[in-house]
Amino acid sequence: QEFKTLITSDNIKRFELSVLPRPMHIDPLANRQKIESGPSERQLLASLKATLASNGFCREGFLLLGRYAGESTQRLRGECKDSASAEDKSRFPNTIERW
């Protein structure tokens, strides 16, 4: 998984959690590919909460703004309820290229 951040000039803290899909398995007896489903919505949210708890990016909670599920990755995007401090700006560089 990958966690990216963006702090705007108005001190709004945004984040994106990307999760790669599980590997594809080939069943040689059935001569077809078995694709395991990716993490569920509940698992993604649990992963996001654990990530935010460990890195301290959102101290006062967050709002989930959207979810994207593609073939190559799943993403959750959100915004923190608290504003960015000077310490946040030094600890969390802007790693989201497009919002």
Side-chain angles (χ1 to χ4, degrees), residues 19-40:
V19 180
L20 297 175
R22 295 179 186 167
M24 191 180 305
H25 299 283
I26 298 174
D27 183 350
L29 300 176
N31 197 22
R32 60 186 168 146
Q33 297 177 343
K34 289 185 176 180
I35 302 172
E36 292 186 20
S37 62
S40 69

Side-chain angles (χ1 to χ4, degrees), residues 15-69:
F15 59 84
E16 177 180 273
L17 177 72
S18 300
V19 180
L20 297 175
R22 295 179 186 167
M24 191 180 305
H25 299 283
I26 298 174
D27 183 350
L29 300 176
N31 197 22
R32 60 186 168 146
Q33 297 177 343
K34 289 185 176 180
I35 302 172
E36 292 186 20
S37 62
S40 69
E41 180 83 22
R42 187 182 58 197
Q43 290 169 325
L44 282 172
L45 203 51
S47 180
L48 173 61
K49 287 178 180 179
T51 299
L52 292 173
S54 69
N55 68 18
F57 187 66
C58 295
R59 294 179 299 278
E60 298 176 18
F62 64 93
L63 301 170
L64 197 57
L65 300 178
R67 178 180 181 199
Y68 169 78

Side-chain angles (χ1 to χ4, degrees), residues 2-28:
E2 183 178 30
F3 184 76
K4 293 183 177 183
T5 58
L6 174 70
I7 298 176
T8 69
S9 60
D10 296 338
N11 295 324
I12 296 171
K13 299 190 297 184
R14 295 183 176 144
F15 59 84
E16 177 180 273
L17 177 72
S18 300
V19 180
L20 297 175
R22 295 179 186 167
M24 191 180 305
H25 299 283
I26 298 174
D27 183 350

